Amino acid sequence: MQSPSRVAHIAIIACFSLLFITKGVNTIVSKNGLSNYSFPDKFMFGVATAAFQIEGAWNEDGKGESMWDTYLHKHPNFTVDHTNGDLAADSYHKYKQDIIMIKSLGVKYYRMSMSWPRILPNGTDHYINKAGVRHYRKVLLELIEAKITPVVTLYHWDLPTALMDLGGWTNPKMVDYFEDYARVVFSLFGDIVKIWTSINELHVHCYNGYDLNNFVPAMKSHGVGFYLCSHYMLLGHARVYHLYDKEFRPKQKGKIGVTLDAFYAEPKDSNNKEDVDAAERYLQMHLGLYAHPIYSKEGDYPALVRERIDTMSKIQGYPRSRLPVFTPEEVEMIRGTSDFFGLNHYTTILASPSSMEPGWSVPSLDHDTGVKSDQDPKWPIPGADWLAVYPPGLRKLVNWITRNYGTRVPIIVTENGVSDFGGLNDYVRVSYYNKYLYQLLLAMHEDGCRVDGYFAWTLMDDFEWSDGYSIKFGLFHVDFNSTEKKRTPKLSALNYREIMRTRRINFNYIKIPSYKYKNL
Ligand code: NOJ
């Protein structure tokens, strides 16, 4: 009898062959006027996932609860489709299939995260869950066997509930707890893992979870908790960087960075100085807030951000700024703590100034920023309502980062992708990856930006936080109704594989029916 993973392997290869036969393989032809740039051989191509979004097995083998487990069990209506991550794509059991899928794409890197409560069920390192450790070692060894390099995120939002009960990232003690957790992980897996990212998307996590109530912990501490969360995360990241740098790097010889997220912001009217300023302010308040302390020469929060929140806090009668202050030692400790610029990017907004908009709280990040964000009605929105497709935004953002922080460290796009409402013929995703990757090539070849890698979000359909399973981001379809969570490659998987093979974009590889998809 064949093992389940062998059967899955055969099924996936068969699906690919079928797609090849039905679609045909075209030679590489650049579209009129497009350059035939290629990605260098050393370019790190990968796919990304996160533990909570795919693993399931929420209470198996001694795993502790994460704040997402606890909160969604208590508030089942929190997600739009009233689902949770209890089963997800069942990758805890099906990781071998996942690795076969990754391999079939021809990518050499896999960005995954570890579940903190699977390793430390109570959050702190006085007790380590051996079964959790065994699981991740098996996954990592399987990846190595498949010649895929793991890129591991320590924290992708699934905080142990025990630590959330202490205030989560608004608690200064989190810096110590995060360092303790990181020490355990580096000592247990650092012989295998050579590329780490500390925290995923500080901005999105703190904004949606602490400023608003879009994500767990739904704290709604707008304009206060948000900055505490950001502040302690920056300190936590820096501590973990130094821990690795001093205690582990000499032996383990790896790299460690952080993953920041940003929409690009364009002025609504590029001839209007106020809109131009608003776009810059938006980028500084959303990305500069985190990037400047880490990547700028002088460190600390950007002057614009400092000044704005200090002034607002004063006007609002706060005894001190809502944005905490780093000591000079802390500024130094944070500065330069990343071996690469991990960037998650999905979409762009059009910025214009505003002092108040419906839905803004006072105080809040939105109110402090004072930017109304619109999107061009011509930009397609194929899934999540925030994700409008505007490929040049990636090139412009990469240029903005290069202008602001130079090329001392390379940019690695740690996430980029698009959502839709499902289906194997995901032309929208094929087009999105082609166009965004093409813009990345332009940033590299024509603008001189230093970009070393790109990870597609995401390997397969998964649990999309407050959107549950209602929208899809995967290269592979997952049948969430089947007990075996059957995985099937979509057209975008085939297309991505071709990009991996040729290291170029071939816009003709999969013909997009133009009568149906006018805007793509
Ligand atoms: C970024 C997050 O890191 C990831 O968890 C999420 O699924 C994607 N954005 C899409 O929203």
Side-chain angles (χ1 to χ4, degrees), residues 53 156-157 200-201 344 346 386 415 457 464-465 473:
Q53 296 179 266
H156 198 126
W157 306 354
N200 177 69
E201 296 199 350
N344 289 2
Y346 289 86
W386 55 269
E415 279 182 36
W457 183 270
E464 176 54 24
W465 309 112
F473 272 93

Side-chain angles (χ1 to χ4, degrees), residues 42-51 54 99 102 107-115 136 139-141 143-144 147-156 181 185-186 189-190 192-200 244 254-259 338-344 411-415 452-457:
K42 278 209 187 122
F43 193 81
M44 301 160 62
F45 264 122
V47 283
T49 62
I54 60 166
I99 294 172
I102 300 165
V107 304
K108 295 282 178 281
Y109 293 85
Y110 178 46
R111 176 172 175 249
M112 55 179 268
S113 79
M114 286 185 179
S115 154
Y136 287 121
V139 174
L140 293 171
L141 290 171
L143 283 166
I144 300 297
K147 299 202 169 36
I148 294 159
T149 305
V151 177
V152 175
T153 304
L154 293 172
Y155 180 68
H156 198 126
Y181 161 59
V185 172
F186 293 151
F189 308 107
I192 308 178
V193 179
K194 302 299 169 193
I195 310 176
W196 299 96
T197 78
S198 58
I199 300 176
N200 177 69
Y244 187 76
K255 288 191 189 327
I256 178 160
V258 66
T259 281
S338 198
D339 299 331
F340 52 85
F341 196 118
L343 174 69
N344 289 2
I411 295 169
I412 296 177
V413 178
T414 36
E415 279 182 36
D452 277 9
Y454 177 95
F455 290 71
W457 183 270

Side-chain angles (χ1 to χ4, degrees), residues 69-88:
D69 294 315
T70 309
Y71 195 87
L72 295 185
H73 291 155
K74 268 201 204 131
H75 306 275
N77 296 344
F78 186 75
T79 48
V80 299
D81 55 0
H82 306 176
T83 56
N84 58 36
D86 288 4
L87 301 176

Side-chain angles (χ1 to χ4, degrees), residues 28 30 34-41 43 45 391-392 394-396 398-399 413 416 433-454 499-500 502-507:
I28 299 159
S30 294
L34 293 181
S35 320
N36 200 11
Y37 293 127
S38 65
F39 290 96
D41 287 344
F43 193 81
F45 264 122
L394 177 58
R395 177 181 186 183
K396 292 177 187 184
V398 164
N399 271 277
V413 178
N416 176 239
Y433 281 125
N434 283 346
K435 291 189 175 172
Y436 273 71
L437 278 166
Y438 182 72
Q439 292 293 326
L440 198 62
L441 281 170
L442 295 180
M444 293 162 66
H445 290 274
E446 297 194 353
D447 311 335
C449 297
R450 185 173 169 207
V451 187
D452 277 9
Y454 177 95
I499 298 171
M500 302 304 100
T502 61
R503 304 192 89 75
R504 284 185 164 79
I505 313 299
N506 175 3
F507 286 91

